[in-house]
Amino acid sequence: MKKQIADLGFETLITADKIEERVKAIGVQINEDFKDTVPLIIGVLNGGFLFTADLIKQVTIPCEINFTKLASYYGGTTSTLKIREDIDLSIDIKGRDVLIIEDIVDTGNTAHYLIEKLKLKEPASLTMCSLLLKPAALQKKIEELKYIGFEIGNEFVVGYGLDYKEMGRNLADIYKKVN
Ligand code: 5GP
């Protein structure tokens, strides 16, 4: 399906059905992998809000949930990194098994920055889950990235939490920009 968001045209890339199926499968994996602990799940706002909400409904083991926000900036359709000094996280993660839920890993700079910042807070373990990964854009290997929803091409996407100029976050499907 085609969609116009602000000044750009988009078409469906991943349907809501496919997302739901994949989210369920990742939930099963998380339940198994973290069954011997009480993980602290940290969703990364804003883009990760829908994915985090859907995924945690599939997590049936005891867990805690919190959110963090990065001041990374992505106003256009290419990755520009501007992050402020510290991350916005109100809770103590020392000694905890932390699972970070991200919307998308593009160059990997944001994920890398977040992981390094969280490591300073001495969690027992740090694991990352990202709904989307652009392997062709990745500039650094993220060892902690264990769960990936979908690998996509080097294209700009919106929907299911992801925005273009703050629009499109509410869309149930994921769309890619039409060239
Ligand atoms: P990275 O630091 O990995 O290059 O970029 C990560 C951040 O850029 C993501 O958390 C997301 O906010 C934004 N981003 C990267 N690629 C896309 C994309 O295709 N669409 C949207 N809407 N945001 C993206």
Side-chain angles (χ1 to χ4, degrees), residues 72 74 79 81 102-111 134 152 155-158 162-164:
S72 66
Y74 202 91
S79 192
L81 192 70
E102 267 277 20
D103 52 353
I104 187 164
V105 174
D106 183 353
T107 62
N109 286 318
T110 308
K134 297 182 188 175
I152 61 169
E155 50 212 356
F156 182 74
V157 292
V158 294
L162 289 149
D163 76 303
Y164 172 56

Side-chain angles (χ1 to χ4, degrees), residues 47-86:
F49 82 103
L50 275 185
F51 179 44
T52 306
D54 284 346
L55 185 59
I56 58 178
K57 284 186 272 179
Q58 303 301 325
V59 175
T60 50
I61 55 167
C63 63
E64 282 178 40
I65 295 140
N66 217 295
F67 289 91
T68 187
K69 189 165 177 150
L70 285 179
S72 66
Y73 172 75
Y74 202 91
T77 59
T78 52
S79 192
T80 330
L81 192 70
K82 280 188 198 163
I83 337 183
R84 62 166 184 245
E85 268 304 286
D86 203 4

Side-chain angles (χ1 to χ4, degrees), residues 88-156:
D88 187 356
L89 186 67
S90 53
I91 41 152
D92 187 13
I93 65 167
K94 190 169 179 172
R96 300 299 306 271
D97 292 304
V98 174
L99 175 62
I100 308 160
I101 313 287
E102 267 277 20
D103 52 353
I104 187 164
V105 174
D106 183 353
T107 62
N109 286 318
T110 308
H112 179 77
Y113 179 89
L114 178 60
I115 287 165
E116 290 310 308
K117 282 283 178 190
L118 290 176
K119 273 185 186 166
L120 297 175
K121 297 177 188 288
E122 301 175 40
S125 70
L126 209 51
T127 310
M128 181 174 268
C129 170
S130 181
L131 173 67
L132 301 170
L133 172 71
K134 297 182 188 175
L138 202 59
Q139 291 172 3
K140 41 183 75 123
K141 186 157 171 38
I142 317 266
E143 302 285 350
E144 293 79 2
L145 185 55
K146 183 167 178 188
Y147 310 99
I148 297 160
F150 302 91
E151 292 194 351
I152 61 169
N154 208 352
E155 50 212 356
F156 182 74

